[in-house]
Amino acid sequence: MSLIKQVLQLKQLGESNRGISRKLSINKETVNNYIKTFQLNTWTYEELLAKEDPEVERLFHAGNPAYSDPRLADFLTRLPYFKEQLGNPKLHVTRQLLYEEYKHAYPDGYGKSQFYFHLQQNLVAQKDCVAMLADTYNPAEKLMVDFAGDKLSYVDTQTGEIIKVEVFVACMPYSDYTYVICVPSQKSEDFIFAIRMCLEHLGGVPPILTPDNLKSAVISNDRHEPKLNKALEDMGNHYHFVVLPCDPKAPTQKALVEDKVRTTYNRIYAKLRGRTFYSIIELNRALWEQLSLFNKTRMQKRPYSREERFHAIEKDRLKPLPACIYEMKYYANLQVQSSCFIELRHDKTTHFYSAPYIHVGKKALVIFTRSNVSIYVDGMQVASHRRSYEYGHTYIKEHLASNCRAVMERSASYYITWAAHISPDCRDYISEVFNPKRTNQPEEVYYKLCASIMSLSRKYELAAINKTCRQCIECKVFSYRKFEAILKHNILHDSADEPTLCYQAPTPTDHANMRGSSYFQ
């Protein structure tokens, strides 16, 4: 029997209020209030004692009429604002957020239950809330990913333009642990980057990834055998997860991440409204700050938070991350040119990468990432280079043919070293050719002269070459035609006394050139 019924029963027997208080060990004023309420109404003892206890409690504790509370006037002045915020789906404002702002502005206002009650009395409709059964999933088995329908934005500091960005949302369905990041678009590059950042945030890899049927994930959304995007396949091979897209017509396989998108609107979007951001990095920092609070907030009807649940059960069951991060792969079929290079054009830049000269003219499969370029011929990797984003050539000397290497390796030091192997006189002459005090011409101007002297040294006797070098140094002759004419003149004069096996008779043209010419000018 309830306490009120005991009071009524003793009063019916003629007990005084003080006596009832003493016998039931309750305050006398409490007894007085019960009896006063009984006397103000037309109830009878028999009628009240026949009712069930909850009905009796309701009659005696109905409380004051709600609209007699003085806090109502302040609430009604704020009510249009509450309706406006809740009625605009783009703002993603919840009753909880409005209540927090209301208590901050009016600490003596209604409590949470009364605040919700008056909102419900004045709003047209209330949305139903459906709780998903996360316990039907296995721990650390699946990662669900999706893009939010509504976009966030930031202001470009240089142009003042408002830049819209996509919001990537992912969750582990067992613990409901959530991850959110802003990326420039839903293209494959940004989609892959968002998944990579999510896996690094989780600190491990679940065996199954469940995306939507967007083009960045699925090329052909066949219900029974969808064709995956090659970029996502490569990423799955790198991180060792399989991709199981949801049904294109009824995507119930990722219902929890759909719910997390709505939660992102309510718990993150709404709190960032009114704030202006000036870069995607600044926007993501604010996003992650609110996301951390959300994951650390204790869930309703559960004695733990999403973060506690994830670290307690799922974190240790995830597969470890690979040693190196994943970079998206691009593919191109190119031909190895006659110069031993393939021409790679991407992102409005052109660069040339070398391949072994034995593959000139063959078709090559080029697989390149942000940092590396790999060249495959007949299924075998024949070259690998660091990626360059400027116009130019990247090569390995061994890839080039011998004649190409000879041309590319030419320099003043190269020719001086060569001359030193012939004779000291030849070395002194070649050194004087490249002497910066003698000339301000580029080194390349004298490469043909040095190459010609190399050719002459193989045809004529060393003594004649040395004599010519000494004479040219003395008379400051640094021209091939003059060097050759002096060399042949020396050979003609010395041939009578010292015939050589390497001697070649001058042609009539040579005689004509030598007659009347001054060799030492």
Side-chain angles (χ1 to χ4, degrees):
M1 184 180 294
S2 69
L3 181 63
I4 298 176
K5 280 189 176 182
Q6 295 180 45
V7 172
L8 294 176
Q9 193 173 35
L10 291 175
K11 190 64 178 178
Q12 185 182 22
L13 296 175
E15 191 69 45
S16 65
N17 292 355
R18 188 181 298 274
I20 296 173
S21 172
R22 186 169 54 253
K23 288 183 178 181
L24 298 180
S25 301
I26 59 176
N27 191 278
K28 187 183 69 171
E29 291 299 323
T30 303
V31 178
N32 293 339
N33 290 333
Y34 287 155
I35 300 302
K36 183 179 180 180
T37 302
F38 173 76
Q39 293 173 349
L40 290 175
N41 293 277
T42 57
W43 303 324
T44 62
Y45 290 111
E46 291 76 10
E47 179 185 0
L48 293 178
L49 294 174
K51 291 180 178 293
E52 295 292 338
D53 291 349
E55 294 182 8
V56 175
E57 293 287 342
R58 181 180 61 82
L59 291 175
F60 280 83
H61 295 289
N64 296 326
Y67 291 96
S68 65
D69 195 317
R71 294 172 294 183
L72 180 63
D74 181 85
F75 180 87
L76 293 178
T77 59
R78 302 173 188 268
L79 186 60
Y81 170 75
F82 296 153
K83 287 185 177 181
E84 177 187 358
Q85 296 292 303
L86 291 173
N88 189 344
K90 296 292 184 180
L91 299 179
H92 311 295
V93 178
T94 62
R95 295 184 303 167
Q96 175 65 26
L97 180 61
L98 288 179
Y99 170 70
E100 293 173 358
E101 295 177 350
Y102 167 77
K103 289 297 288 184
H104 180 74
Y106 187 28
D108 297 329
Y110 285 124
K112 184 175 181 179
S113 60
Q114 284 294 307
F115 181 85
Y116 280 17
F117 171 80
H118 290 297
L119 276 179
Q120 187 176 6
Q121 293 295 101
N122 289 276
L123 295 177
V124 177
Q126 293 290 319
K127 294 183 179 180
D128 295 332
C129 180
V130 180
M132 303 300 296
L133 299 177
D135 292 338
T136 58
Y137 297 95
N138 296 323
E141 179 188 43
K142 188 177 293 187
L143 177 67
M144 298 179 179
V145 300
D146 196 8
F147 279 102
D150 294 343
K151 301 180 181 180
L152 291 176
S153 62
Y154 67 91
V155 178
D156 191 327
T157 55
Q158 296 183 349
T159 63
E161 181 184 1
I162 297 178
I163 308 297
K164 297 284 187 179
V165 294
E166 301 286 346
V167 180
F168 172 87
V169 181
C171 81
M172 300 290 293
Y174 183 82
S175 63
D176 212 27
Y177 191 66
T178 307
Y179 179 78
V180 182
I181 187 174
C182 291
V183 291
S185 69
Q186 292 190 19
K187 294 181 180 180
S188 297
E189 297 88 341
D190 298 323
F191 182 55
I192 294 297
F193 173 76
I195 296 176
R196 189 200 109 194
M197 294 298 292
C198 178
L199 295 178
E200 291 181 5
H201 176 78
L202 296 176
V205 182
I208 299 175
L209 179 75
T210 303
D212 204 347
N213 282 267
L214 70 164
K215 288 297 181 182
S216 299
V218 181
I219 297 177
S220 176
N221 55 358
D222 184 84
R223 180 177 182 181
H224 303 288
E225 191 175 353
K227 185 177 180 181
L228 299 180
N229 189 304
K230 180 61 175 175
L232 192 57
E233 279 189 351
D234 290 338
M235 186 179 197
N237 294 334
H238 182 83
Y239 285 101
H240 304 293
F241 64 72
V242 296
V243 181
L244 300 179
C246 60
D247 194 313
K249 293 185 177 179
T252 55
Q253 294 90 342
K254 63 177 186 66
L256 279 185
V257 75
E258 296 284 357
D259 183 66
K260 292 289 93 53
V261 170
R262 291 191 292 270
T263 304
T264 301
Y265 293 156
N266 299 333
R267 302 294 181 88
I268 298 179
Y269 278 43
K271 292 186 178 181
L272 297 181
R273 75 189 195 282
R275 294 179 59 179
T276 303
F277 303 96
Y278 297 98
S279 69
I280 193 171
I281 297 176
E282 182 182 349
L283 177 59
N284 273 324
R285 286 174 180 170
L287 203 71
W288 293 334
E289 181 180 348
Q290 298 300 328
L291 176 66
S292 178
L293 294 176
F294 169 70
N295 282 325
K296 291 178 180 178
T297 301
R298 184 159 295 179
M299 293 187 284
Q300 295 182 1
K301 300 181 181 179
R302 298 189 182 184
Y304 48 78
S305 67
R306 293 170 176 83
E307 188 174 83
E308 291 171 338
R309 180 78 163 175
F310 171 74
H311 285 280
I313 298 179
E314 293 195 291
K315 180 67 180 292
D316 295 338
R317 301 189 184 188
L318 295 174
K319 294 186 293 185
L321 290 169
C324 57
I325 64 174
Y326 174 74
E327 293 183 337
M328 183 173 172
K329 295 180 179 179
Y330 302 88
Y331 297 82
N333 290 301
L334 304 173
Q335 186 173 12
V336 182
Q337 301 174 355
S338 58
S339 60
C340 306
F341 288 88
I342 57 100
E343 181 181 357
L344 181 61
R345 298 181 180 181
H346 190 73
D347 292 339
K348 299 181 180 180
T349 60
T350 301
H351 199 86
F352 297 85
Y353 299 91
S354 67
Y357 67 92
I358 60 174
H359 301 296
V360 168
K362 295 182 180 179
K363 283 288 185 179
L365 173 63
V366 182
I367 303 177
F368 57 100
T369 66
R370 292 177 181 267
S371 59
N372 291 299
V373 175
S374 298
I375 303 175
Y376 293 82
V377 177
D378 298 331
M380 296 181 59
Q381 182 176 344
V382 298
S384 179
H385 303 277
R386 294 292 297 174
R387 177 85 180 272
S388 175
Y389 291 88
E390 298 179 354
Y391 180 84
H393 294 73
T394 297
Y395 64 92
I396 298 174
K397 291 182 180 180
E398 290 74 12
H399 289 173
L400 307 180
S402 58
N403 56 346
C404 294
R405 290 202 302 269
V407 172
M408 298 183 71
E409 291 174 354
R410 293 183 302 177
S411 65
S413 60
Y414 168 78
Y415 285 112
I416 293 173
T417 303
W418 161 82
H421 287 89
I422 296 178
S423 68
D425 291 330
C426 186
R427 180 198 60 200
D428 294 341
Y429 177 68
I430 297 299
S431 298
E432 187 63 22
V433 168
F434 293 106
N435 188 354
K437 295 181 179 180
R438 184 193 64 81
T439 179
N440 57 0
Q441 295 291 333
E443 290 182 354
E444 192 171 352
V445 173
Y446 300 103
Y447 287 173
K448 288 186 177 181
L449 170 62
C450 296
S452 301
I453 297 175
M454 289 176 65
S455 177
L456 293 173
S457 67
R458 291 190 291 268
K459 295 168 59 177
Y460 297 102
E461 197 174 57
L462 181 60
I465 296 293
N466 290 337
K467 181 179 179 180
T468 305
C469 288
R470 291 193 299 271
Q471 290 172 340
C472 289
I473 293 175
E474 181 180 354
C475 300
K476 302 186 183 306
V477 173
F478 303 102
S479 167
Y480 166 69
R481 290 186 179 274
K482 293 182 179 181
F483 185 94
E484 184 184 30
I486 296 170
L487 176 62
K488 291 181 178 181
H489 180 270
N490 291 333
I491 292 173
L492 285 174
H493 280 271
D494 297 341
S495 61
D497 299 329
E498 297 183 18
T500 69
L501 295 176
C502 296
Y503 170 74
Q504 291 184 357
T507 64
T509 304
D510 293 332
H511 284 291
N513 290 335
M514 289 187 288
R515 281 196 297 267
S517 62
S518 175
Y519 304 129
F520 306 112
Q521 295 180 1

